[in-house]
Amino acid sequence: MAAYLQWRRFVFFDRETVKEPPGPDGAAGKPFELPPGIAVCDSGRGSLVFGDILRQIWFLPRSLQLSNFQAYKLRVTHLYQLKQHSILVSVGEDEEGINPLVKVWNLEKRDGGNPLCTRIFPAIPGNKPTVVSCLTVHENLNFMAIGFADGSVVLTKGDITRDRHSKTQILHEGSYPVTGLAFRQSGKTTHLFVVTTENIQSYMLSAKDYPHLELDTHGCGLHCSSLSDPSQDLQFIVAGNECVYLYQPDERGPCFAFEGQKLIVHWYRGYLIIVSRDRKTSPKSEFAGNEAQNADKQVLNIYDLCNKFIAYSSIFDDIVDVLAEWGSLYVLTRDGKIHVLQEKDTQTKLEMLFRKNLFEMAINLAKSHHLDSDGLSEIFRQYGDHLYNKGNHDGAIQQYIRTIGKLEPSYVIRKFLDAQRIHNLTAYLQTLHLQSLANADHTTLLLNCYTKLKDSSKLEEFIKTSESEVHFDVETAIKVLRQAGYYSHAVYLAEKHMHHEWYLKIQLEDIKNYEEALCYIGKLPFDQAESNMKRYGKTLMHQVPNKTTELLKALCTDYRPLGDTLLCANSEEFIPVFANNSRELKAFLEHMTEVQADSPQGVYDTLLELRLQNWAHEQDEQIKEKLHNEALTLLKSGRFKTVFDKALILCQMHNFKDGVLYLYEQGKLFQQIMHYHMQNEQYKKVIEVCELYGDQEACLWEQALGYFARKEEDCKEYIAAVLKHIENKNLMPPLLVVQTLAHNSTATLSVIKDYLVNKLQKQSRQIEQDEQRIHKYREETTRIRQEIEELKARPKIFQKTKCSICTSALELPSVHFLCGHSFHQHCFESYSENDSECPTCMPENRKVMDMIRAQEQKRDLHDQFQHQLKCSNDGFSVVADYFGRGVFNKLTLITDLPSGKAAPLEAGLQRDLLMRTKRGT
């Protein structure tokens, strides 16, 4: 029970007396007065409605232009104006001693200028005439309840505006006057509250037989009950002289101790309005006539039940009723005057509360008025400032926390940066993070607060939230924790939120936990594992070489961190990681060449260099031999064809002779092979090189002869071997051989005696053969010339009797050629390609002509002649060949003679000899 004496009083309403409109002269209007005899009133649909004892119903719109019509012949006793329909229900009397009549008026329709009366029926419970005490109508127009002084309640169900569509029955019978009725609609459930002077009951109208429940054993007087709005859950309010009770359809709710005799109770926009007087009288006596003639002062109080304060209190003279319309309250007094109570705006009410430092009440008021979040935040800020200035920092921070999201956090943070208020600042920053409104600076500040307070439990609670509840910048938190020395916390955050770079930095640079870092890298996705091994590989190799090598092997050959997808890194890029770790490097490179034959070239180059270094520095002969074989095997693997020069340089740097010779051989550098043996004075090797590669590069024998010729020691055996080969292949002229050996003082004539004798004998035989060939050619030339002369000077007799093609006897027509061949004309036409050539001689003649044309085309190939002359072992043969082609002739071969000039015989001799087969007829 809440005692109203503890409630604060405010003036949240402005009171004025309703005045008539200003006159034409602009003078202020006098107070508005209603006609005398007003007994009942109600409001709704834009008008105040009054009923008087003179049978009239009056309507007062906002313009104060009164209108009326006669509703009854005697008096109007009750009015009920529906809020959602233009329907007015009235109760009145037409004759003395006759039962009252209920009339339903449709205000939107007219009947002779008056509202249309759609229904009239007597207000009587059964056959017992009695006085109507109260009236209520459901807004859906399906229910109407009338209470009587004998304790009866009549319920009309159906369309209340028509007789034929409704049914009237007695709902309640009792011995105590009915003082109040109210319908309550909740969803599809309809209840009717019935209050008498002695009890309170509720009926369920939406159920069969209308079950009811007695809620309490005390009641109230007339006009002392009302139904609240949804803000109070549509509770039925019953005001006794000591307390005000609130009821649900099935139970009694809260109770408020408001003293004084209650005369009128209303509910308005969340406010409970009570008109009371201090003189205590019995509610029963009040029912009889309400003691209207009593001149006691009456007090009107407006209570805010939610926020527990009195919003307005004022004294009036003899109040008839309180009406609500046009957003204001209108108080009708017995003298016919109307007073209006206009509620102040929310901001004005809040400022009044602020001036009294009633911030809690201001907050509750703002919430009940549905003030927006910005307005509430401003109240919280002012409340926080008030508490802060009073030194209540704990209370102030709680209010500032409620401003998060609206008030700039720096406003609060600056107030609590003092070390003595770090706890308050921590609480504010925690809430700021929980609402995901913190930035990186706020995270930094909060973590610094934790570390300065050395509150490890709070720190762990802050960072060990689930992933879906993270309300801070993780990277910033990691940086701050690392800087403060909370490495384990920083590592936890980095691992949980997959900040791999920070995890590895802390593990390697701060904690020095190399094995854990290496294990972590091995679980990362391929791209991140690769990049981190390039970044930290040298450090890890220095600290944990074996495990690092194994991880690199897997990374470059068979890395499967996410399942079956095979990913491989470029092994060549990790070679720098093995700086100063040659043993591990060798194991890594050998693994790569074994498992991945198509490894990058750099892998093979580095492995070769490493093996050559190990071979060069090894002292143990057995191990050195093994290393020698490994290096040579690697060279012979065929992986160095594209980097021949690099491999050769490596072998030369480490004086790896077998490797150098192998590479020379592979690169066809035969002269370098021979020079290598010459430098080492390996005479037999020089001869072997010449024998092996002399056919591919003939100058090797000449170089060998020059090499041995310059040696002063006895090299007769090697010189003889060289000369023998030169002689067999005719590689050098004898004079050049003699000149070459003249440089050797130990080489006597006996060394080259056999060579010279054999050479001279061969040349003698060649001379004889050449002379015989010359003699033969001269005889052939003389014979041909004679034939030419005969053809020119003597007639040619054709005596052939057979065809040269078919060998049958010749018959006319026939074809004869100067060469002596004859043909049937049909045979000739079938086999000949043209009419001017003999089919039998044509193949041979064509060969000769092709030779002539070839000679003519090659006569100007000077560069080709020079090249062949330079490269040939026998230059004389080359010159003779080109001389035979006519390269050196000054005469030009002419096939068509100019007119009027005789061609010399020598100029046309070759052509005449070849083309002597002219067609005869």
Side-chain angles (χ1 to χ4, degrees):
M1 179 181 294
Y4 82 102
L5 293 176
Q6 299 175 356
W7 290 15
R8 288 183 174 271
R9 296 175 180 266
F10 300 99
V11 183
F12 286 167
F13 287 79
D14 294 323
R15 173 179 172 176
E16 292 182 2
T17 301
V18 177
K19 296 181 179 181
E20 294 181 353
D25 56 355
K30 62 181 180 179
F32 180 85
E33 291 186 6
L34 289 170
I38 298 297
V40 292
C41 57
D42 203 353
S43 63
R45 309 300 292 178
S47 296
L48 303 181
V49 185
F50 306 99
D52 60 18
I53 59 176
L54 302 175
R55 63 187 180 274
Q56 301 290 326
I57 292 179
W58 300 80
F59 294 94
L60 180 65
R62 198 165 191 177
S63 62
L64 303 182
Q65 300 295 323
L66 267 174
S67 62
N68 68 308
F69 72 95
Q70 182 177 337
Y72 294 90
K73 295 179 180 179
L74 289 180
R75 65 182 65 86
V76 181
T77 60
H78 296 82
L79 290 175
Y80 191 93
Q81 172 66 56
L82 277 79
K83 304 300 185 286
Q84 299 177 14
H85 303 277
S86 295
I87 300 295
L88 175 66
V89 179
S90 63
V91 178
E93 298 176 5
D94 281 344
E95 298 180 22
E96 290 288 353
I98 303 299
N99 292 328
L101 294 178
V102 178
K103 296 185 180 181
V104 180
W105 308 90
N106 189 333
L107 303 180
E108 292 181 348
K109 297 182 179 180
R110 293 289 169 178
D111 180 13
N114 297 330
L116 176 64
C117 182
T118 63
R119 184 180 182 186
I120 302 176
F121 64 93
I124 179 172
N127 297 320
K128 301 177 182 180
T130 183
V131 177
V132 175
S133 60
C134 53
L135 167 71
T136 187
V137 182
H138 198 293
E139 287 292 335
N140 63 11
L141 300 179
N142 287 327
F143 292 103
M144 179 193 300
I146 303 173
F148 295 90
D150 66 353
S152 302
V153 175
V154 173
L155 177 68
T156 300
K157 183 177 181 181
D159 188 352
I160 66 168
T161 64
R162 300 175 182 272
D163 289 323
R164 68 176 61 183
H165 296 106
S166 64
K167 178 182 179 181
T168 301
Q169 68 184 82
I170 298 176
L171 177 70
H172 172 79
E173 291 182 333
S175 56
Y176 302 106
V178 178
T179 57
L181 298 170
F183 287 108
R184 181 184 189 274
Q185 187 71 38
S186 177
K188 295 182 179 181
T189 304
T190 304
H191 286 89
L192 174 64
F193 289 102
V194 178
V195 57
T196 69
T197 57
E198 299 296 334
N199 59 25
I200 303 169
Q201 300 185 57
S202 71
Y203 286 83
M204 182 181 291
L205 304 183
S206 54
K208 187 177 180 181
D209 298 331
Y210 307 139
H212 69 280
L213 178 67
E214 186 176 27
L215 300 177
D216 217 332
T217 56
H218 62 80
C220 66
L222 284 173
H223 313 299
C224 292
S225 63
S226 181
L227 189 72
S228 70
D229 60 19
S231 66
Q232 280 291 337
D233 198 21
L234 297 175
Q235 297 184 92
F236 187 56
I237 302 169
V238 177
N241 286 339
E242 300 297 332
C243 298
V244 174
Y245 301 92
L246 278 67
Y247 296 92
Q248 293 284 358
D250 55 352
E251 63 180 353
R252 191 175 82 176
C255 172
F256 299 92
F258 299 145
E259 295 182 354
Q261 182 183 358
K262 313 301 186 299
L263 303 177
I264 299 172
V265 172
H266 285 293
W267 186 267
Y268 169 74
R269 291 187 177 183
Y271 293 112
L272 175 62
I273 302 168
I274 296 180
V275 178
S276 61
R277 61 169 169 253
D278 294 334
R279 184 173 62 87
K280 298 180 180 179
T281 58
S282 171
K284 298 178 182 179
S285 63
E286 280 298 308
F287 170 78
N290 204 21
E291 300 289 337
Q293 295 79 12
N294 196 313
D296 289 348
K297 296 293 184 180
Q298 297 173 354
V299 179
L300 184 146
N301 288 321
I302 301 177
Y303 297 96
D304 187 329
L305 300 183
C306 291
N307 299 313
K308 305 294 188 298
F309 64 80
I310 301 174
Y312 183 76
S313 181
S314 182
I315 296 176
F316 291 87
D317 291 331
D318 202 0
I319 298 174
V320 175
D321 207 344
V322 180
L323 306 177
E325 191 66 26
W326 309 308
S328 301
L329 288 174
Y330 292 87
V331 181
L332 173 65
T333 56
R334 191 68 61 184
D335 57 6
K337 294 182 180 179
I338 302 176
H339 305 271
V340 59
L341 299 180
Q342 181 69 43
E343 186 178 8
K344 298 179 185 293
D345 61 86
T346 303
Q347 189 60 39
T348 302
K349 291 188 284 186
L350 291 176
E351 289 175 357
M352 295 172 64
L353 295 174
F354 293 158
R355 286 195 294 270
K356 297 182 179 181
N357 294 326
L358 299 175
F359 294 98
E360 285 288 355
M361 189 170 289
I363 292 169
N364 295 332
L365 178 66
K367 289 180 178 179
S368 64
H369 283 61
H370 305 290
L371 195 67
D372 61 17
S373 57
D374 291 334
L376 281 172
S377 177
E378 178 60 21
I379 299 174
F380 296 144
R381 183 195 66 78
Q382 293 187 38
Y383 191 15
D385 291 346
H386 171 70
L387 295 175
Y388 182 86
N389 293 331
K390 289 176 63 178
N392 184 0
H393 298 127
D394 292 340
I397 203 65
Q398 294 304 316
Q399 299 306 316
Y400 287 134
I401 286 174
R402 301 168 80 177
T403 68
I404 290 177
K406 299 298 181 181
L407 181 64
E408 176 60 37
S410 60
Y411 178 87
V412 180
I413 292 172
R414 283 195 298 267
K415 291 178 177 290
F416 292 91
L417 283 177
D418 189 285
Q420 295 179 353
R421 301 170 190 168
I422 194 170
H423 291 87
N424 303 128
L425 179 59
T426 302
Y428 178 80
L429 291 172
Q430 283 176 337
T431 309
L432 194 66
H433 282 80
L434 287 175
Q435 297 187 20
S436 300
L437 296 173
N439 58 28
D441 293 333
H442 299 148
T443 302
T444 302
L445 186 58
L446 177 58
L447 291 174
N448 284 327
C449 289
Y450 284 140
T451 55
K452 287 184 178 180
L453 292 172
K454 300 187 183 304
D455 192 344
S456 298
S457 60
K458 283 286 186 181
L459 181 59
E460 289 187 7
E461 181 183 351
F462 177 74
I463 66 174
K464 291 186 178 181
T465 54
S466 64
E467 187 173 348
S468 60
E469 297 175 350
V470 174
H471 306 288
F472 56 89
D473 185 82
V474 176
E475 187 171 1
T476 301
I478 294 172
K479 291 179 182 178
V480 175
L481 291 171
R482 184 189 183 199
Q483 185 177 5
Y486 285 79
Y487 300 127
S488 60
H489 297 78
V491 165
Y492 171 83
L493 274 182
E495 182 177 11
K496 179 180 179 181
H497 299 285
M498 295 186 292
H499 285 264
H500 310 308
E501 181 179 353
W502 283 108
Y503 179 90
L504 294 173
K505 272 186 178 182
I506 298 170
Q507 288 283 23
L508 295 173
E509 298 175 12
D510 301 321
I511 304 178
K512 309 294 184 183
N513 193 343
Y514 302 105
E515 292 191 3
E516 189 67 29
L518 186 65
C519 182
Y520 185 83
I521 293 175
K523 298 176 183 178
L524 293 179
F526 173 77
D527 293 339
Q528 297 179 19
E530 182 183 28
S531 61
N532 281 295
M533 282 306 296
K534 290 177 180 178
R535 180 177 303 168
Y536 300 110
K538 290 184 179 179
T539 302
L540 292 171
M541 183 61 67
H542 178 69
Q543 300 295 334
V544 279
N546 293 332
K547 292 185 178 180
T548 304
T549 303
E550 292 303 317
L551 178 56
L552 287 175
K553 288 179 181 179
L555 190 64
C556 296
T557 55
D558 187 16
Y559 192 70
R560 303 173 185 265
L562 300 177
D564 297 333
T565 304
L566 174 61
L567 299 170
C568 299
N570 187 344
S571 52
E572 185 177 1
E573 296 177 355
F574 291 100
I575 292 176
V577 171
F578 293 89
N580 303 320
N581 293 81
S582 59
R583 182 174 62 85
E584 286 75 16
L585 176 59
K586 183 172 182 290
F588 172 72
L589 295 176
E590 288 178 347
H591 174 79
M592 291 306 304
T593 56
E594 292 173 4
V595 176
Q596 197 177 71
D598 59 343
S599 295
Q601 185 60 43
V603 171
Y604 288 91
D605 295 344
T606 307
L607 181 58
L608 176 62
E609 182 177 5
L610 195 60
R611 286 184 175 179
L612 290 175
Q613 286 179 354
N614 294 339
W615 171 82
H617 294 88
E618 184 58 50
Q619 301 297 325
D620 190 299
E621 290 299 329
Q622 292 183 350
I623 300 177
K624 192 177 185 71
E625 180 65 22
K626 179 183 178 182
L627 295 173
H628 174 278
N629 294 335
E630 289 179 353
L632 195 59
T633 301
L634 183 60
L635 276 175
K636 293 181 179 181
S637 64
R639 297 293 307 186
F640 299 93
K641 293 180 180 179
T642 58
V643 289
F644 173 84
D645 295 339
K646 185 174 183 179
L648 183 59
I649 291 172
L650 289 174
C651 291
Q652 290 173 342
M653 286 174 57
H654 296 88
N655 195 26
F656 190 60
K657 297 179 181 179
D658 291 346
V660 171
L661 293 175
Y662 171 77
L663 292 173
Y664 281 159
E665 181 180 358
Q666 293 299 307
K668 298 186 183 302
L669 302 176
F670 306 128
Q671 294 188 38
Q672 281 80 350
I673 296 176
M674 190 171 67
H675 290 162
Y676 181 85
H677 292 309
M678 289 177 179
Q679 290 175 356
N680 292 279
E681 297 185 350
Q682 296 174 334
Y683 301 150
K684 291 184 178 180
K685 292 289 186 180
V686 172
I687 299 298
E688 290 178 3
V689 171
C690 291
E691 291 175 348
L692 288 173
Y693 312 115
D695 293 338
Q696 300 180 50
E697 198 165 341
C699 61
L700 294 177
W701 290 104
E702 300 176 15
Q703 294 177 11
L705 182 62
Y707 170 72
F708 289 123
R710 288 190 295 272
K711 292 295 181 182
E712 294 298 328
E713 58 268 22
D714 189 3
C715 297
K716 294 180 181 180
E717 177 184 354
Y718 304 111
I719 293 175
V722 174
L723 287 174
K724 182 178 180 181
H725 191 84
I726 290 175
E727 177 187 355
N728 293 336
K729 298 294 184 178
N730 194 24
L731 300 177
M732 295 176 63
L735 182 58
L736 184 58
V737 172
V738 173
Q739 291 176 347
T740 301
L741 291 176
H743 297 288
N744 192 323
S745 60
T746 60
T748 59
L749 186 60
S750 60
V751 176
I752 60 172
K753 175 181 177 182
D754 295 337
Y755 167 75
L756 293 174
V757 170
N758 292 334
K759 195 66 176 176
L760 290 173
Q761 289 176 352
K762 286 183 179 180
Q763 289 182 354
S764 297
R765 288 193 294 271
Q766 185 65 39
I767 290 171
E768 291 178 359
Q769 293 175 0
D770 292 343
E771 288 178 348
Q772 292 175 2
R773 193 174 294 110
I774 291 170
H775 180 70
K776 178 181 177 182
Y777 287 159
R778 284 177 177 173
E779 289 180 351
E780 182 68 19
T781 301
T782 302
R783 183 182 62 79
I784 291 174
R785 288 185 178 185
Q786 289 176 357
E787 289 182 2
I788 292 172
E789 288 297 330
E790 288 179 358
L791 291 174
K792 289 182 177 181
R794 298 178 185 178
K796 179 69 175 180
I797 299 173
F798 300 99
Q799 297 178 345
K800 288 281 187 179
T801 60
K802 294 182 178 181
C803 176
S804 299
I805 293 177
C806 64
T807 66
S808 299
L810 285 174
E811 297 176 355
L812 294 176
S814 61
V815 180
H816 303 276
F817 285 88
L818 293 175
C819 61
H821 298 108
S822 299
F823 308 92
H824 292 113
Q825 185 173 356
H826 62 85
C827 290
F828 174 75
E829 291 176 352
S830 300
Y831 287 94
S832 65
E833 295 182 4
N834 56 64
D835 295 341
S836 61
E837 293 189 52
C838 172
T840 303
C841 298
M842 184 180 62
E844 187 65 26
N845 291 342
R846 184 162 295 176
K847 290 181 181 180
V848 175
M849 293 304 294
D850 290 342
M851 292 173 60
I852 294 173
R853 292 192 192 95
Q855 289 178 353
E856 291 176 350
Q857 292 174 359
K858 294 181 179 179
R859 288 178 63 182
D860 297 329
L861 300 179
H862 175 74
D863 293 339
Q864 184 176 358
F865 167 71
Q866 292 291 338
H867 178 71
Q868 291 184 6
L869 183 62
K870 181 178 181 181
C871 297
S872 176
N873 294 325
D874 189 357
F876 181 78
S877 301
V878 176
V879 174
D881 178 52
Y882 274 83
F883 184 82
R885 298 180 188 178
V887 173
F888 304 105
N889 291 345
K890 293 183 180 180
L891 298 177
T892 302
L893 183 63
I894 300 175
T895 56
D896 295 324
L897 297 177
S899 60
K901 292 185 179 180
L905 178 62
E906 295 298 333
L909 176 61
Q910 191 174 22
R911 175 179 174 82
D912 291 341
L913 290 173
L914 296 174
M915 301 299 297
R916 54 188 176 170
T917 58
K918 292 184 178 179
R919 181 179 178 184
T921 56

